[in-house]
Amino acid sequence: MTIDPHFWVWPDELSPALCAEIIRIGKTLPIEEGRVGGKSDTDEGTVQKEARESRVGFFNDDHWIEGIVWHYMRLANVQAWKFLVSSCQTVQFTQYEKGEYYGPHCDTFGLNEDMRKLSICIQLSDPKTYEGCLLYTSDAADEGLGVDLGGRRI
């Protein structure tokens, strides 16, 4: 199935001050090693350094940051895809240090009623302060499509 558009982008939508505040709050969260392969909210997956090396924290379900995520997810969905979305997984805050990565992966497993239909990535750091961050949808990667955000193909 091909979905068009493959992604929705709001360049410079969040102010640098708001991004800095989210980063500040995110750094106060309990942090753990990033995991892969979790097939549900109750399956945390496993640490697999060959696939992912990063640290993650999770905002509480009722945190105001989840409201920002829901707002943009709903806006894109209504304007582009119109998927039936009834819930949101816990908002993840990911930290990368130099040399760390999250290799190619799929954000959902199998087709079922409560599968992840949409993924949202909010770029909080100034793109001038790091290298990396390739983000593709499966169709976009296959077709060489993407969007350039701050000098990076996303």
Side-chain angles (χ1 to χ4, degrees):
M1 174 170 100
T2 300
I3 298 172
D4 188 27
H6 300 284
F7 45 82
W8 208 258
V9 178
W10 289 275
D12 302 317
E13 183 72 12
L14 303 182
S15 72
L18 179 57
C19 291
E21 180 64 5
I22 294 171
I23 291 169
R24 185 192 69 74
I25 295 168
K27 288 183 174 183
T28 69
L29 298 171
I31 298 296
E32 59 189 58
E33 286 189 82
R35 298 171 178 265
V36 298
K39 294 184 169 75
S40 70
D41 282 343
T42 57
D43 177 5
E44 295 180 357
T46 59
V47 173
Q48 296 178 27
K49 296 277 187 181
E50 67 281 358
R52 177 182 196 174
E53 188 162 355
S54 63
R55 284 151 326 287
V56 298
F58 297 90
F59 291 101
N60 292 332
D61 289 340
D62 59 351
H63 199 285
W64 59 264
I65 291 169
E66 184 175 290
I68 292 173
V69 171
W70 261 104
H71 168 74
Y72 286 103
M73 185 273 306
R74 285 183 189 141
L75 191 58
N77 189 41
V78 166
Q79 293 177 5
W81 308 291
K82 298 177 179 52
F83 292 128
L84 176 60
V85 178
S86 57
S87 64
C88 177
Q89 292 178 318
T90 305
V91 176
Q92 182 180 131
F93 177 80
T94 306
Q95 299 178 52
Y96 294 95
E97 297 296 332
K98 186 173 182 168
E100 293 183 333
Y101 53 87
Y102 195 168
H105 65 282
C106 182
D107 273 357
T108 193
F109 298 92
L111 299 174
N112 58 55
E113 192 172 300
D114 57 345
M115 65 181 271
R116 185 184 303 176
K117 296 171 184 83
L118 299 170
S119 294
I120 186 167
C121 178
I122 301 175
Q123 197 63 34
L124 298 171
S125 301
D126 181 342
K128 297 178 190 113
T129 65
Y130 63 90
E131 293 180 20
C133 189
L134 295 173
L135 178 66
Y136 293 99
T137 66
S138 59
D139 288 344
D142 293 342
E143 299 169 21
L145 301 174
V147 65
D148 186 342
L149 294 180
R152 287 164 185 78
R153 189 168 171 76
I154 295 189

